Amino acid sequence: ADLATAWDVQDATEGSINFWLHKDSWAAAQRYMIRIYANNNNQIRVEQPNNSNRVNYVRTAGGTQRRIQITGGFSTGWQMHTMTWSETDNVIEAFRNGSSLGTTSATVDWNTTGLSSVRTLVGADDTSSPASVLNGELMYYALWQTVLSQDDIDELYNGGPV
């Protein structure tokens, strides 16, 4: 699959995010691993909520938010995280280490055309506060303007190119 820019992904009716995350501890304030942000009504993010062993995979478009919230199973060490979304199928799906964590209905207003800007933040909520920085490491962050298949995700997890 061809890689995409943050602008392409924010404006797309389908897409995928993939990255590797290493954390020494899950006890921390809210941290964004990935945040592609046009405004509060239009964003894609993968985040750790406040002081929790939990990860939220979120797609907000046209002011409607859909979220998959996964609790537990987030050990220290390296883990691969993937999120896919599709307007055609009206679904968001989250994966950890190549395995599906579940789906949620994603019936939202996907039309985000006309947005004036998109910020991409990797490992931070914003750039003005050191307290907002992720406590961990992110590697191999990538975006696609298509839904990755299970075979694609397996190949990424096993070290191959997609």
Side-chain angles (χ1 to χ4, degrees), residues 1-154:
D2 292 331
L3 293 172
T5 68
W7 183 261
D8 293 335
V9 169
Q10 175 64 38
D11 202 33
T13 57
E14 62 180 33
S16 301
I17 294 175
N18 186 80
F19 60 92
W20 282 86
L21 171 70
H22 179 273
K23 289 184 65 70
D24 293 325
S25 169
W26 284 88
Q30 180 172 0
R31 298 292 185 257
Y32 291 100
M33 291 115 179
I34 304 289
R35 188 178 191 199
I36 301 169
Y37 179 86
N39 55 45
N40 285 335
N41 292 323
N42 298 285
Q43 60 181 303
I44 301 161
R45 68 182 192 270
V46 181
E47 65 186 1
Q48 174 193 355
N50 290 333
N51 296 309
S52 67
N53 184 17
R54 188 169 65 224
V55 173
N56 293 331
Y57 301 82
V58 182
R59 172 70 165 114
T60 306
T64 302
Q65 181 184 98
R66 292 294 178 258
R67 171 191 323 225
I68 297 174
Q69 187 175 80
I70 304 299
T71 302
F74 297 101
S75 62
T76 57
W78 287 102
Q79 294 185 338
M80 188 182 85
H81 293 264
T82 308
M83 177 176 135
T84 64
W85 63 93
S86 170
E87 174 183 10
T88 305
D89 297 331
N90 285 323
V91 69
I92 294 171
E93 188 165 8
F95 300 81
R96 181 180 59 229
N97 293 335
S99 297
S100 177
L101 299 172
T103 63
T104 188
S105 171
T107 306
V108 298
D109 175 9
W110 293 90
N111 184 4
T112 57
T113 56
L115 298 175
S116 60
S117 66
V118 173
R119 291 184 296 168
T120 302
L121 301 166
V122 178
D125 177 12
D126 60 55
T127 56
S128 64
S129 173
S132 299
V133 176
L134 176 71
N135 179 18
E137 300 170 86
L138 285 166
M139 291 182 65
Y140 307 115
Y141 156 70
L143 304 168
W144 292 265
Q145 201 173 349
T146 188
V147 175
L148 294 178
S149 68
Q150 182 65 58
D151 287 343
D152 291 337
I153 294 167
D154 290 344

